[in-house]
Amino acid sequence: MANSSDAVGKIVAEPEPIELDWTKTALVIIDMQRDFMEPGGFGETLGNDVGQLARAVQPIGSVLSAARDTGMLVIHTREGHLPDLSDAPPAKIERGAPSLRIGDPGPMGRILIRGEAGHDIIPELYPLDSEIVIDKPGKGAFYATEMGDVLQKYGIENLLVCGVTTEVCVNTTVREANDRGYRCVVIADGCASYFPEFHEMGLKMIKAQGGIFGWVASSAAVLEALETSKTLA
Ligand code: C5J
């Protein structure tokens, strides 16, 4: 971004348009990990159709590429646990009747364990060395992580949020961020759920009541705002 006017963009969003200073904005990509996206991972062990999530990859890729072009701060998150499971509450491990539990060996390594192949981010959206990766033991990106410190260090006030799943880790992170004073714009087609109806309702919950948790915009609207800002004199 060449000068300060280049750095402001207006996104067509719901419940209303929002103007953001890109120098105070980060792109946050939630949990685009093989464990959620691919057969044999955590998502599938819970009985989910992982194919439902593929639709978010291309929109996220477009925004990621534009963010990289503008020099915007990019943060990737990964849900997962230490190999000794010391950060995994028994209440999480023992829950339900999955085909494999957290920590069990699966086709992509131990389920939802840091350092295993399944825990890593899908190749299409793989972080650059210069980008930040936050490992989180919970659904929200702020709980038991350095997320707050990182955002403060870079002077971030606004988050463009996308990833999976809409109603779980995206919604939890947006609620945590909203309570901490961040403006969150959720990229609708850059999110997905194993349950399409939860995706729809998850987005509605964010933008209802005048944007009680934040704003919702399409990836096209975010790209347009970034593009328009670049051409401002
Ligand atoms: C879930 C997530 N669904 N990233 N995690 O367990 O949404």
Side-chain angles (χ1 to χ4, degrees):
M1 296 279 176
N3 60 48
S4 58
S5 63
D6 279 342
V8 177
K10 190 170 186 174
I11 304 177
V12 176
E14 292 183 293
E16 60 191 7
I18 177 167
E19 205 161 85
L20 298 182
D21 179 342
W22 299 127
T23 65
K24 297 179 179 170
T25 301
L27 174 64
V28 180
I29 304 176
I30 305 284
D31 300 0
M32 293 299 288
Q33 297 162 251
R34 299 182 64 196
D35 252 321
F36 294 104
M37 304 295 297
E38 294 184 19
F42 180 60
E44 195 179 71
T45 68
L46 298 176
N48 295 308
D49 169 11
V50 294
Q52 289 288 344
L53 305 189
R55 66 190 71 177
V57 176
Q58 189 275 329
I60 296 174
S62 307
V63 176
L64 176 58
S65 169
R68 284 173 174 166
D69 287 348
T70 63
M72 185 183 293
L73 184 71
V74 176
I75 299 174
H76 304 256
T77 71
R78 299 186 296 203
E79 179 180 345
H81 298 283
L82 297 168
D84 66 2
L85 296 177
S86 57
D87 61 351
K92 182 176 181 181
I93 300 175
E94 294 162 3
R95 184 166 315 182
S99 57
L100 293 171
R101 292 194 187 273
I102 295 169
D104 285 350
M108 293 189 286
R110 293 177 68 201
I111 298 291
L112 216 59
I113 297 298
R114 294 184 193 176
E116 302 287 347
H119 179 261
D120 214 350
I121 292 173
I122 58 170
E124 299 93 313
L125 302 174
Y126 209 77
L128 300 178
D129 287 344
S130 57
E131 292 170 352
I132 293 166
V133 178
I134 304 263
D135 281 316
K136 61 187 183 66
K139 305 305 182 192
F142 289 81
Y143 168 67
T145 73
E146 66 278 28
M147 184 73 161
D149 291 340
V150 168
L151 297 180
Q152 199 172 13
K153 174 178 165 193
Y154 287 93
I156 297 300
E157 297 176 0
N158 319 303
L159 308 180
L160 299 175
V161 187
C162 54
V164 297
T165 63
T166 316
E167 79 282 12
V168 183
C169 291
V170 172
N171 247 270
T172 305
T173 297
V174 167
R175 290 168 189 229
E176 286 182 329
N178 181 61
D179 278 350
R180 288 164 172 78
Y182 296 97
R183 295 177 201 89
C184 295
V185 179
V186 177
I187 303 170
D189 53 334
C191 298
S193 169
Y194 300 119
F195 308 92
E197 66 275 27
F198 290 177
H199 171 77
E200 289 307 318
M201 294 310 291
L203 296 176
K204 279 187 180 171
M205 285 179 199
I206 288 163
K207 68 187 178 188
Q209 305 178 69
I212 195 124
F213 296 121
W215 290 256
V216 176
S218 65
S219 60
V222 173
L223 292 172
E224 165 96 42
L226 279 165
E227 199 49 47
T228 311
S229 332
K230 269 195 247 177
T231 59
L232 284 176

